[in-house]
Amino acid sequence: MKKSMKKMIAGVLTLAIVMTMCLTVTPLMASAASWKVAYKTNGVVTVPSGQTFDTTIETKTYGKIAWQTTLLNTTVGYTVTIYDMDRNKLGTIQVSADDSEWKSEQQMAGMVYYHIDQVSGIEAGTCLISVKFDSDSDIQAMFSAQTCATSTSTANAPTLKNTEETVTAGFQTNLSVKGDTIKNCTSSDKSIATVTSKGVVTGKKKGTATITVKTAKGYDLTCKVNVKANTYSVKKATASDVRAYSYKIIPYSAKYDSKGNLVVKAMAINNMPTKVKTKVWVNSFNDSSNNESKKITVTLPANSAKSVTLKYPKSCLLDKKINLPVNGIKIFELPQY
């Protein structure tokens, strides 16, 4: 009995795949030319509940596998799973009997119900398609499939809000999808950028990584992420950048050392004929305690321009990390004395 059943299933599970550039899918029972019946007996087949039907599909381009399940006189829940030939799961669609996407059409044989589904991101090669109905009783059904190139599915396909993002090492950015929801995400290089299943990207070190976003509808979307080092660098100021008879301390670079201390280099410019001594702090400095001893004293000789290094301990910083490429660095000065 088992051998005859296997022969019967093998005989009816012949699947022809038609490569098409068409996005519009019409009901199988309406004899759509681009669809081929996966299995049938005199137009329909009696499918035992819980029975799994497997057949292979060969995709010749990277793209989408679409299928239509057609039932006579009733709707029934079912599961379709796509595997590669090593039985690694590529995609799954579960449809309930009361799913809102069921369509119906009155025909001579009775009321015909059909449901159209798809899985995207299927690479070229042979894969296995498995169909299982979960009805408590036998049903009459036909199943069909086709593949479409991804280039033809852009009309209603979801998109990333941004296909390229820039983030500073140690900071985060969020990916978002228009027209779908994020199912999971992966990074091409976790040493440069990591990503959560919800699309939160964290920069790790300077470099470029590609984030692949898998959507709930089965689409694969990619985002190029450029990670910048958390440093600040601009051209050094000169005496001509400061008014006559005044002084200014102007930062030109900043970074954090291995202990989290903020190291700032600045040009200390004094266009006055007298020496100036001042205390300075940066925009991340925690001044709530009014602790003057933690501010750095800088002495500026008369009519001078020199480079100074200001090192602020991590314990003095209100923001333990400033996004230096985005926010820059600012120096504040107490009145001269």
Side-chain angles (χ1 to χ4, degrees):
M1 179 65 179
K2 290 184 178 179
K3 289 183 178 180
S4 61
M5 175 63 76
K6 289 182 179 178
K7 288 181 180 179
M8 182 273 290
I9 293 174
V12 298
L13 287 181
T14 303
L15 177 65
I17 299 302
V18 177
M19 301 304 298
T20 177
M21 300 301 287
C22 176
L23 288 177
T24 303
V25 180
T26 53
L28 175 68
M29 297 296 284
S31 301
S34 61
W35 292 78
K36 299 298 181 182
V37 176
Y39 50 86
K40 69 176 182 178
T41 303
N42 296 325
V44 294
V45 61
T46 300
V47 182
S49 61
Q51 175 71 57
T52 299
F53 292 87
D54 293 346
T55 190
T56 57
I57 293 176
E58 184 175 353
T59 57
K60 297 182 179 179
T61 60
Y62 180 91
K64 177 193 301 179
I65 291 180
W67 59 85
Q68 177 178 301
T69 303
T70 306
L71 308 178
L72 184 61
N73 296 326
T74 186
T75 59
V76 176
Y78 63 90
T79 301
V80 179
T81 308
I82 309 295
Y83 301 94
D84 64 19
M85 297 312 290
D86 293 323
R87 207 68 186 187
N88 297 309
K89 188 183 295 185
L90 303 178
T92 300
I93 293 289
Q94 289 183 308
V95 176
S96 64
D98 58 357
D99 188 274
S100 61
E101 295 300 316
W102 280 105
K103 308 297 181 184
S104 62
E105 182 178 308
Q106 182 65 50
Q107 296 191 8
M108 290 182 63
M111 185 63 73
V112 173
Y113 297 90
Y114 58 94
H115 200 287
I116 298 170
D117 310 292
Q118 62 188 24
V119 168
S120 297
I122 305 298
E123 296 183 2
T126 302
C127 55
L128 179 71
I129 187 165
S130 179
V131 191
K132 183 176 181 179
F133 294 92
D134 47 39
S135 172
D136 290 335
S137 60
D138 291 353
I139 61 171
Q140 291 181 310
M142 285 191 295
F143 181 84
S144 62
Q146 70 172 169
T147 56
C148 293
T150 51
S151 60
T152 68
S153 60
T154 57
N156 299 309
T159 58
L160 284 169
K161 182 178 179 181
N162 297 309
T163 56
E164 186 169 357
E165 295 275 3
T166 298
V167 63
T168 303
F171 291 84
Q172 296 179 333
T173 187
N174 295 317
L175 302 182
S176 60
V177 174
K178 297 178 181 179
D180 203 347
T181 56
I182 296 175
K183 183 178 180 181
N184 57 58
C185 304
T186 56
S187 172
S188 64
D189 193 335
K190 293 181 181 179
S191 68
I192 293 175
T194 60
V195 63
T196 69
S197 61
K198 301 298 184 181
V200 180
V201 179
T202 301
K204 306 300 287 186
K205 68 177 183 181
K206 184 179 180 180
T208 301
T210 299
I211 303 299
T212 301
V213 178
K214 176 78 76 175
T215 74
K217 294 179 181 178
Y219 288 86
D220 285 334
L221 309 175
T222 58
C223 178
K224 179 181 178 182
V225 175
N226 303 303
V227 181
K228 288 185 175 182
N230 192 20
T231 59
Y232 173 79
S233 181
V234 295
K235 184 180 178 180
K236 290 183 181 180
T238 64
S240 62
D241 296 313
V242 179
R243 297 193 316 268
Y245 299 99
S246 65
Y247 70 94
K248 196 72 177 175
I249 300 176
I250 305 173
Y252 63 85
S253 77
K255 65 179 182 179
Y256 290 89
D257 64 17
S258 59
K259 296 182 178 180
N261 305 313
L262 179 61
V263 181
V264 180
K265 291 186 177 182
M267 288 301 296
I269 301 170
N270 182 13
N271 286 340
M272 300 174 64
T274 57
K275 180 179 73 173
V276 173
K277 185 181 288 187
T278 184
K279 287 187 176 182
V280 298
W281 68 100
V282 294
N283 50 313
S284 181
F285 190 78
N286 186 358
D287 194 34
S288 60
S289 62
N290 197 28
N291 190 339
E292 297 293 331
S293 65
K294 292 184 177 181
K295 295 175 181 176
I296 298 176
T297 300
V298 178
T299 300
L300 295 79
N303 297 314
S304 66
K306 66 175 183 177
S307 177
V308 296
T309 299
L310 312 172
K311 186 175 181 179
Y312 294 92
K314 183 179 181 180
S315 59
C316 295
L317 302 176
L318 179 63
D319 299 321
K320 299 307 177 185
K321 276 289 181 72
I322 305 174
N323 192 334
L324 294 171
V326 174
N327 299 321
I329 197 78
K330 296 178 182 177
I331 290 181
F332 301 91
E333 306 155 6
L334 284 175
Q336 69 179 53
Y337 64 95

